Amino acid sequence: MKSLLSCIPTYLKDSNALLTDIENLPKLPANAKLFTADATAMYTNIDTDTALEAFSFLFEHYNEEIPSDFPKALFLSVLEIVMKRNLFQFDDTYWLQKDGTAMGTPTACLHATISYGLHERNRILPTYKDFLLLYKRFIDDVFGIWIPHDNGLDDLAWSEFKNTMNEWGKLRWIVSDRTTSVDFLDLNLTINNGRILTRTFQKSMNLYLYIPPISAHPTSCFKGLIVGNFLRFRKQNNDENFCILLRNFAHHLLARGHSLKAIRKHFRNAANLTDNKRLLPIRSPVDTPPAADPTTPLPDPTIANRSLYLHWEYHPSGIKREQLREIFKSTLADCNPFQKGMIVAMARPKNLRDILTRTTLNEPEGERASDYYRKICTDASPASHVATSEGNTHT
């Protein structure tokens, strides 16, 4: 399904992609306004048949934009099965989802993104191209730049635009007022002198409960937490805001038990990464690798371009990732048919949260979900047949 995203001009991968789009914008007119929109329960309010029709429309009208080897007929058949045969369990009862995007399936996000994206491409963008300088959507969140017209009809056009967003099936959108500053994803965006300034958005109720250093997490998790946020702050903010956020971030980490020495180390590594990224465009070309020895037997083509994955449960006192790599290098590297080497995937062991916050219900007899369901059905219609919980599906 990912190969179909190129047909959706409104698709937004993440906030980094939005920053790139904003950087490429011309200077905004003095009357430019920002707005956001949020879908109301998007997955459950996407009509299944309407969405399937959207995919059929995509294949019929934009065939030249779709990879030639894309299995269109098979895809539509499988997609219909996934969307109309989604079963889920609640305690000792089983249910069939009758409408909406199939919850909990890998296709859900792309299904919602692409299906409504066809409405945006064919109705919203062409109709309001003179008003929309930018219109992007991340699943159920929309960000746009509206350029008002001075012909006295701008309010009418804005009202019609909001109505057009709600003309696709039963999906409805809550559209914000047009203003000069909005919060979208993890960004605050503000118009200033014809440019959009961004800063990292943080909720006022955020408790900043970062993973403490005493937690039994791989060291890479702490590195990723600190370095990742450093780079995110650097990209989303000007120098002044970046310094404020970084100082606050350090205080929050200290409050969670991290040492100042470790924080400084990761901050320096992140700063080096930032500097190296700036140098990438001017680096000299990489030397061409030497030609392969013709006498060396070719690897198995079925696994030649794959990696060997080792799934290893992490323990603070256990064997480390580096040790596993050294063992692999000294024993298997020379005879390993996986040409991309070995990747060690460290997994955390089960903790108290896994035990105390189980998602599986275990109610006593007489208070199971099927007992309540049977009672409801009996009260509503004493003569109706009530299915038992032994393998039957309730709808």
PDB file of all heavy atoms in Angstrom, residues 11-33:
ATOM      1  N   TYR A  11      -0.493  13.878   1.499  1.00  0.00           N
ATOM      2  CA  TYR A  11       0.106  12.982   2.496  1.00  0.00           C
ATOM      3  C   TYR A  11       1.291  13.648   3.190  1.00  0.00           C
ATOM      4  O   TYR A  11       2.152  14.254   2.551  1.00  0.00           O
ATOM      5  CB  TYR A  11       0.566  11.693   1.813  1.00  0.00           C
ATOM      6  CG  TYR A  11       1.499  10.849   2.655  1.00  0.00           C
ATOM      7  CD1 TYR A  11       1.043  10.220   3.806  1.00  0.00           C
ATOM      8  CD2 TYR A  11       2.845  10.690   2.293  1.00  0.00           C
ATOM      9  CE1 TYR A  11       1.903   9.438   4.586  1.00  0.00           C
ATOM     10  CE2 TYR A  11       3.700   9.910   3.067  1.00  0.00           C
ATOM     11  CZ  TYR A  11       3.225   9.291   4.201  1.00  0.00           C
ATOM     12  OH  TYR A  11       4.078   8.537   4.964  1.00  0.00           O
ATOM     13  N   LEU A  12       1.317  13.525   4.508  1.00  0.00           N
ATOM     14  CA  LEU A  12       2.401  14.071   5.312  1.00  0.00           C
ATOM     15  C   LEU A  12       2.990  12.942   6.144  1.00  0.00           C
ATOM     16  O   LEU A  12       2.292  12.314   6.941  1.00  0.00           O
ATOM     17  CB  LEU A  12       1.886  15.185   6.228  1.00  0.00           C
ATOM     18  CG  LEU A  12       2.930  15.919   7.066  1.00  0.00           C
ATOM     19  CD1 LEU A  12       3.852  16.726   6.168  1.00  0.00           C
ATOM     20  CD2 LEU A  12       2.252  16.835   8.089  1.00  0.00           C
ATOM     21  N   LYS A  13       4.276  12.691   5.972  1.00  0.00           N
ATOM     22  CA  LYS A  13       4.924  11.588   6.680  1.00  0.00           C
ATOM     23  C   LYS A  13       5.080  11.883   8.154  1.00  0.00           C
ATOM     24  O   LYS A  13       4.769  11.040   9.008  1.00  0.00           O
ATOM     25  CB  LYS A  13       6.283  11.297   6.045  1.00  0.00           C
ATOM     26  CG  LYS A  13       7.019  10.136   6.692  1.00  0.00           C
ATOM     27  CD  LYS A  13       8.358   9.902   6.024  1.00  0.00           C
ATOM     28  CE  LYS A  13       9.109   8.743   6.685  1.00  0.00           C
ATOM     29  NZ  LYS A  13      10.423   8.499   6.051  1.00  0.00           N
ATOM     30  N   ASP A  14       5.580  13.081   8.494  1.00  0.00           N
ATOM     31  CA  ASP A  14       5.798  13.459   9.886  1.00  0.00           C
ATOM     32  C   ASP A  14       6.054  14.957   9.957  1.00  0.00           C
ATOM     33  O   ASP A  14       5.997  15.660   8.938  1.00  0.00           O
ATOM     34  CB  ASP A  14       6.963  12.674  10.504  1.00  0.00           C
ATOM     35  CG  ASP A  14       8.231  12.731   9.641  1.00  0.00           C
ATOM     36  OD1 ASP A  14       8.429  13.740   8.939  1.00  0.00           O
ATOM     37  OD2 ASP A  14       9.023  11.771   9.680  1.00  0.00           O
ATOM     38  N   SER A  15       6.362  15.447  11.148  1.00  0.00           N
ATOM     39  CA  SER A  15       6.585  16.876  11.309  1.00  0.00           C
ATOM     40  C   SER A  15       7.855  17.327  10.600  1.00  0.00           C
ATOM     41  O   SER A  15       7.954  18.485  10.181  1.00  0.00           O
ATOM     42  CB  SER A  15       6.652  17.238  12.805  1.00  0.00           C
ATOM     43  OG  SER A  15       7.670  16.504  13.454  1.00  0.00           O
ATOM     44  N   ASN A  16       8.843  16.446  10.442  1.00  0.00           N
ATOM     45  CA  ASN A  16      10.045  16.810   9.699  1.00  0.00           C
ATOM     46  C   ASN A  16       9.717  17.103   8.242  1.00  0.00           C
ATOM     47  O   ASN A  16      10.282  18.021   7.627  1.00  0.00           O
ATOM     48  CB  ASN A  16      11.086  15.692   9.780  1.00  0.00           C
ATOM     49  CG  ASN A  16      11.752  15.616  11.139  1.00  0.00           C
ATOM     50  OD1 ASN A  16      11.839  16.610  11.851  1.00  0.00           O
ATOM     51  ND2 ASN A  16      12.216  14.434  11.506  1.00  0.00           N
ATOM     52  N   ALA A  17       8.803  16.316   7.669  1.00  0.00           N
ATOM     53  CA  ALA A  17       8.392  16.561   6.291  1.00  0.00           C
ATOM     54  C   ALA A  17       7.675  17.902   6.168  1.00  0.00           C
ATOM     55  O   ALA A  17       7.835  18.621   5.175  1.00  0.00           O
ATOM     56  CB  ALA A  17       7.480  15.432   5.808  1.00  0.00           C
ATOM     57  N   LEU A  18       6.909  18.268   7.182  1.00  0.00           N
ATOM     58  CA  LEU A  18       6.230  19.562   7.168  1.00  0.00           C
ATOM     59  C   LEU A  18       7.244  20.704   7.236  1.00  0.00           C
ATOM     60  O   LEU A  18       7.086  21.729   6.557  1.00  0.00           O
ATOM     61  CB  LEU A  18       5.248  19.661   8.335  1.00  0.00           C
ATOM     62  CG  LEU A  18       4.462  20.967   8.439  1.00  0.00           C
ATOM     63  CD1 LEU A  18       3.614  21.181   7.182  1.00  0.00           C
ATOM     64  CD2 LEU A  18       3.585  20.979   9.683  1.00  0.00           C
ATOM     65  N   LEU A  19       8.298  20.547   8.029  1.00  0.00           N
ATOM     66  CA  LEU A  19       9.334  21.568   8.102  1.00  0.00           C
ATOM     67  C   LEU A  19       9.982  21.787   6.736  1.00  0.00           C
ATOM     68  O   LEU A  19      10.271  22.925   6.344  1.00  0.00           O
ATOM     69  CB  LEU A  19      10.400  21.164   9.127  1.00  0.00           C
ATOM     70  CG  LEU A  19       9.972  21.169  10.594  1.00  0.00           C
ATOM     71  CD1 LEU A  19      11.100  20.629  11.473  1.00  0.00           C
ATOM     72  CD2 LEU A  19       9.563  22.561  11.039  1.00  0.00           C
ATOM     73  N   THR A  20      10.191  20.695   6.010  1.00  0.00           N
ATOM     74  CA  THR A  20      10.765  20.811   4.665  1.00  0.00           C
ATOM     75  C   THR A  20       9.822  21.554   3.734  1.00  0.00           C
ATOM     76  O   THR A  20      10.244  22.421   2.951  1.00  0.00           O
ATOM     77  CB  THR A  20      11.063  19.409   4.106  1.00  0.00           C
ATOM     78  OG1 THR A  20      11.979  18.733   4.974  1.00  0.00           O
ATOM     79  CG2 THR A  20      11.670  19.507   2.711  1.00  0.00           C
ATOM     80  N   ASP A  21       8.528  21.240   3.804  1.00  0.00           N
ATOM     81  CA  ASP A  21       7.540  21.932   2.960  1.00  0.00           C
ATOM     82  C   ASP A  21       7.510  23.423   3.283  1.00  0.00           C
ATOM     83  O   ASP A  21       7.415  24.263   2.383  1.00  0.00           O
ATOM     84  CB  ASP A  21       6.151  21.329   3.171  1.00  0.00           C
ATOM     85  CG  ASP A  21       6.039  19.918   2.606  1.00  0.00           C
ATOM     86  OD1 ASP A  21       6.777  19.610   1.654  1.00  0.00           O
ATOM     87  OD2 ASP A  21       5.232  19.135   3.126  1.00  0.00           O
ATOM     88  N   ILE A  22       7.598  23.755   4.554  1.00  0.00           N
ATOM     89  CA  ILE A  22       7.557  25.161   4.969  1.00  0.00           C
ATOM     90  C   ILE A  22       8.795  25.909   4.496  1.00  0.00           C
ATOM     91  O   ILE A  22       8.715  27.069   4.063  1.00  0.00           O
ATOM     92  CB  ILE A  22       7.402  25.246   6.500  1.00  0.00           C
ATOM     93  CG1 ILE A  22       6.009  24.771   6.924  1.00  0.00           C
ATOM     94  CG2 ILE A  22       7.644  26.670   6.995  1.00  0.00           C
ATOM     95  CD1 ILE A  22       5.811  24.682   8.412  1.00  0.00           C
ATOM     96  N   GLU A  23       9.942  25.253   4.551  1.00  0.00           N
ATOM     97  CA  GLU A  23      11.178  25.895   4.097  1.00  0.00           C
ATOM     98  C   GLU A  23      11.127  26.247   2.610  1.00  0.00           C
ATOM     99  O   GLU A  23      11.767  27.209   2.170  1.00  0.00           O
ATOM    100  CB  GLU A  23      12.366  24.971   4.368  1.00  0.00           C
ATOM    101  CG  GLU A  23      12.712  24.833   5.847  1.00  0.00           C
ATOM    102  CD  GLU A  23      13.799  23.804   6.075  1.00  0.00           C
ATOM    103  OE1 GLU A  23      14.257  23.201   5.061  1.00  0.00           O
ATOM    104  OE2 GLU A  23      14.196  23.589   7.231  1.00  0.00           O
ATOM    105  N   ASN A  24      10.376  25.470   1.842  1.00  0.00           N
ATOM    106  CA  ASN A  24      10.303  25.682   0.394  1.00  0.00           C
ATOM    107  C   ASN A  24       9.214  26.668  -0.016  1.00  0.00           C
ATOM    108  O   ASN A  24       9.037  26.927  -1.215  1.00  0.00           O
ATOM    109  CB  ASN A  24      10.072  24.346  -0.314  1.00  0.00           C
ATOM    110  CG  ASN A  24      11.235  23.390  -0.144  1.00  0.00           C
ATOM    111  OD1 ASN A  24      12.386  23.816  -0.028  1.00  0.00           O
ATOM    112  ND2 ASN A  24      10.956  22.098  -0.111  1.00  0.00           N
ATOM    113  N   LEU A  25       8.474  27.211   0.956  1.00  0.00           N
ATOM    114  CA  LEU A  25       7.405  28.151   0.630  1.00  0.00           C
ATOM    115  C   LEU A  25       7.973  29.533   0.300  1.00  0.00           C
ATOM    116  O   LEU A  25       8.991  29.951   0.866  1.00  0.00           O
ATOM    117  CB  LEU A  25       6.446  28.282   1.810  1.00  0.00           C
ATOM    118  CG  LEU A  25       5.511  27.103   2.102  1.00  0.00           C
ATOM    119  CD1 LEU A  25       4.723  27.376   3.385  1.00  0.00           C
ATOM    120  CD2 LEU A  25       4.572  26.837   0.942  1.00  0.00           C
ATOM    121  N   PRO A  26       7.305  30.274  -0.588  1.00  0.00           N
ATOM    122  CA  PRO A  26       7.686  31.677  -0.801  1.00  0.00           C
ATOM    123  C   PRO A  26       7.238  32.523   0.389  1.00  0.00           C
ATOM    124  O   PRO A  26       6.572  32.025   1.306  1.00  0.00           O
ATOM    125  CB  PRO A  26       6.906  32.045  -2.070  1.00  0.00           C
ATOM    126  CG  PRO A  26       5.699  31.157  -2.035  1.00  0.00           C
ATOM    127  CD  PRO A  26       6.168  29.855  -1.436  1.00  0.00           C
ATOM    128  N   LYS A  27       7.600  33.771   0.386  1.00  0.00           N
ATOM    129  CA  LYS A  27       7.168  34.659   1.458  1.00  0.00           C
ATOM    130  C   LYS A  27       5.653  34.785   1.427  1.00  0.00           C
ATOM    131  O   LYS A  27       5.036  34.971   0.377  1.00  0.00           O
ATOM    132  CB  LYS A  27       7.802  36.041   1.297  1.00  0.00           C
ATOM    133  CG  LYS A  27       7.512  36.975   2.450  1.00  0.00           C
ATOM    134  CD  LYS A  27       8.265  38.281   2.335  1.00  0.00           C
ATOM    135  CE  LYS A  27       7.983  39.186   3.534  1.00  0.00           C
ATOM    136  NZ  LYS A  27       8.728  40.461   3.470  1.00  0.00           N
ATOM    137  N   LEU A  28       5.037  34.672   2.601  1.00  0.00           N
ATOM    138  CA  LEU A  28       3.585  34.661   2.688  1.00  0.00           C
ATOM    139  C   LEU A  28       3.021  36.071   2.546  1.00  0.00           C
ATOM    140  O   LEU A  28       3.640  37.053   3.004  1.00  0.00           O
ATOM    141  CB  LEU A  28       3.131  34.077   4.029  1.00  0.00           C
ATOM    142  CG  LEU A  28       3.603  32.664   4.371  1.00  0.00           C
ATOM    143  CD1 LEU A  28       3.007  32.234   5.706  1.00  0.00           C
ATOM    144  CD2 LEU A  28       3.242  31.682   3.282  1.00  0.00           C
ATOM    145  N   PRO A  29       1.834  36.193   1.942  1.00  0.00           N
ATOM    146  CA  PRO A  29       1.161  37.492   1.906  1.00  0.00           C
ATOM    147  C   PRO A  29       0.841  37.971   3.322  1.00  0.00           C
ATOM    148  O   PRO A  29       0.751  37.173   4.264  1.00  0.00           O
ATOM    149  CB  PRO A  29      -0.126  37.205   1.118  1.00  0.00           C
ATOM    150  CG  PRO A  29       0.145  35.945   0.369  1.00  0.00           C
ATOM    151  CD  PRO A  29       1.103  35.157   1.203  1.00  0.00           C
ATOM    152  N   ALA A  30       0.647  39.247   3.481  1.00  0.00           N
ATOM    153  CA  ALA A  30       0.416  39.824   4.812  1.00  0.00           C
ATOM    154  C   ALA A  30      -0.863  39.294   5.444  1.00  0.00           C
ATOM    155  O   ALA A  30      -0.981  39.265   6.680  1.00  0.00           O
ATOM    156  CB  ALA A  30       0.370  41.345   4.710  1.00  0.00           C
ATOM    157  N   ASN A  31      -1.845  38.891   4.624  1.00  0.00           N
ATOM    158  CA  ASN A  31      -3.128  38.432   5.174  1.00  0.00           C
ATOM    159  C   ASN A  31      -3.220  36.912   5.298  1.00  0.00           C
ATOM    160  O   ASN A  31      -4.299  36.365   5.548  1.00  0.00           O
ATOM    161  CB  ASN A  31      -4.273  38.949   4.314  1.00  0.00           C
ATOM    162  CG  ASN A  31      -4.202  38.420   2.882  1.00  0.00           C
ATOM    163  OD1 ASN A  31      -3.163  37.907   2.447  1.00  0.00           O
ATOM    164  ND2 ASN A  31      -5.300  38.549   2.138  1.00  0.00           N
ATOM    165  N   ALA A  32      -2.136  36.199   5.115  1.00  0.00           N
ATOM    166  CA  ALA A  32      -2.164  34.731   5.190  1.00  0.00           C
ATOM    167  C   ALA A  32      -2.571  34.266   6.582  1.00  0.00           C
ATOM    168  O   ALA A  32      -2.218  34.879   7.591  1.00  0.00           O
ATOM    169  CB  ALA A  32      -0.800  34.171   4.816  1.00  0.00           C
ATOM    170  N   LYS A  33      -3.303  33.163   6.621  1.00  0.00           N
ATOM    171  CA  LYS A  33      -3.771  32.595   7.887  1.00  0.00           C
ATOM    172  C   LYS A  33      -3.472  31.101   7.935  1.00  0.00           C
ATOM    173  O   LYS A  33      -3.410  30.426   6.911  1.00  0.00           O
ATOM    174  CB  LYS A  33      -5.278  32.809   8.055  1.00  0.00           C
ATOM    175  CG  LYS A  33      -5.716  34.272   8.067  1.00  0.00           C
ATOM    176  CD  LYS A  33      -5.187  35.018   9.276  1.00  0.00           C
ATOM    177  CE  LYS A  33      -5.687  36.460   9.299  1.00  0.00           C
ATOM    178  NZ  LYS A  33      -5.145  37.221  10.454  1.00  0.00           N
TER     179      LYS A  33
END
